[in-house]
Amino acid sequence: MPIFGAPDGTRLAFHLRGAGEPLVVLPGGPMRASAYLGDLGGLDAHRQLVLLDLRGTGESETPADPGTYRCDRLVDDVEALRSHLGLERMDVLAHSAGGSLAMLYAARYPQRLGRLALVTATPWALGWPATPGDRLAAARLRASEPWFPDAFPAFVAWLEGTGDFDPVFLPFFYGRWDDTARAHADREETETNDDAAEVYGGDGAYEQATTRGALARVRTPVLVLAGEVDGGPSPALARRAADAFPAAEFAVQPGAGHYPWLDDPRGFTQRVAAFFS
């Protein structure tokens, strides 16, 4: 397991899968260990995946200053990884909350970015969060599923603030609620640093207008991939995020939820590999 040093001395880990040209992968959660990404549906057959464990997650060290969990302060960890890998420019794939980290990196270090894929990435860094309405509209698309009658009321209560997070509605985050999805969801609690997640998007993490202005000048090719039945972000919100980049392409993976490489590994891999080829 390779280790490198962050600017503040925190020892950070990354994991290599596959061979070939490196593709740096930033996990979501926020602050979930990169293990949940697996091989991204077989993408490691096309590129060497460099899966970063953000500080305080997975095999990476817990920092002395918990304030460094904040998204904007993690940008320099990503740059330290690029330097450690000896890459003049690096290609990046970011999932979910990791998309905001990738956006901040693109805004601060545009000259170091090759291609960027944003996979079901909610654009918090742009000031555009997923809304309860987005999530409920996506949830209603699943009304024919056998688990829907029990899951939907609990989901509504959680989004309205009248109920706690309930595992009964976890199926809404997956395009297919099968054994693979269940096993993936069951690992989330042990793979996530909840204290760090609370800091990730805390006060001062995002200067949305500044970031939007900086990204409007980024000419790197960008792929924004949404899941058809994902509510956070919905395809409409993901398309809005794509419009923040001058050279972005937008795609929707049919039938996919928030983890599209699980719902249709072949479709996901073909689309993403083609972008990075």
Side-chain angles (χ1 to χ4, degrees), residues 2-277:
I3 298 288
F4 68 102
D8 66 351
T10 303
R11 291 167 57 81
L12 304 180
F14 61 93
H15 306 266
L16 299 176
R17 284 182 172 264
E21 189 175 354
L23 173 61
V24 171
V25 182
L26 305 181
M31 304 305 288
R32 186 172 179 179
S34 66
Y36 84 94
L37 296 160
D39 62 6
L40 286 173
L43 190 60
D44 61 337
H46 301 269
R47 298 288 294 265
Q48 182 182 58
L49 305 182
V50 182
L51 301 156
L52 175 63
D53 280 340
L54 299 176
R55 54 179 54 216
T57 72
E59 302 298 325
S60 287
E61 191 174 47
T62 298
D65 178 6
T68 60
Y69 289 134
R70 208 173 67 181
C71 187
D72 60 320
R73 299 184 68 179
L74 295 173
V75 171
D76 286 334
D77 290 354
V78 179
E79 174 60 4
L81 174 59
R82 181 204 62 79
S83 179
H84 175 81
L85 296 171
L87 300 173
E88 184 68 22
R89 297 167 69 90
M90 65 180 179
D91 290 342
V92 175
L93 182 151
H95 174 245
S96 188
S100 284
L101 175 56
M103 291 176 198
L104 295 186
Y105 182 83
R108 194 181 303 177
Y109 295 103
Q111 75 281 9
R112 297 303 190 185
L113 192 61
R115 288 175 172 259
L116 171 62
L118 298 171
V119 176
T120 59
T122 304
W124 295 331
L126 305 180
W128 304 331
T131 67
D134 292 336
R135 296 187 182 277
L136 289 176
R140 290 187 181 98
L141 298 175
R142 316 297 295 281
S144 64
E145 302 277 2
W147 42 262
F148 182 88
D150 291 331
F152 189 72
F155 197 45
V156 171
W158 178 62
L159 291 171
E160 291 180 344
T162 59
D164 295 330
F165 187 93
D166 190 331
V168 73
F169 56 69
L170 283 172
F172 287 125
F173 296 92
Y174 296 84
R176 296 185 305 172
W177 188 238
D178 55 14
D179 288 344
T180 298
R182 289 186 186 91
H184 189 264
D186 286 346
R187 298 198 309 269
E188 181 173 8
E189 185 174 355
T190 59
E191 291 176 342
T192 302
N193 183 334
D194 291 328
D195 291 337
E198 290 293 322
V199 178
Y200 187 85
D203 290 346
Y206 308 123
E207 295 182 1
Q208 295 94 337
T210 299
T211 301
R212 291 195 299 269
L215 294 184
R217 299 187 294 273
V218 172
R219 297 294 172 177
T220 190
V222 177
L223 169 65
V224 177
L225 179 65
E228 182 183 24
V229 297
D230 190 14
S234 66
L237 182 57
R239 179 181 289 278
R240 187 181 182 194
D243 289 342
F245 296 88
E249 53 187 274
F250 172 71
V252 178
Q253 184 171 313
H258 198 60
Y259 307 93
W261 64 90
L262 297 179
D263 299 318
D264 179 6
R266 177 177 295 182
F268 173 82
T269 298
Q270 288 179 342
R271 183 66 185 84
V272 175
F275 171 72
F276 282 116
S277 64

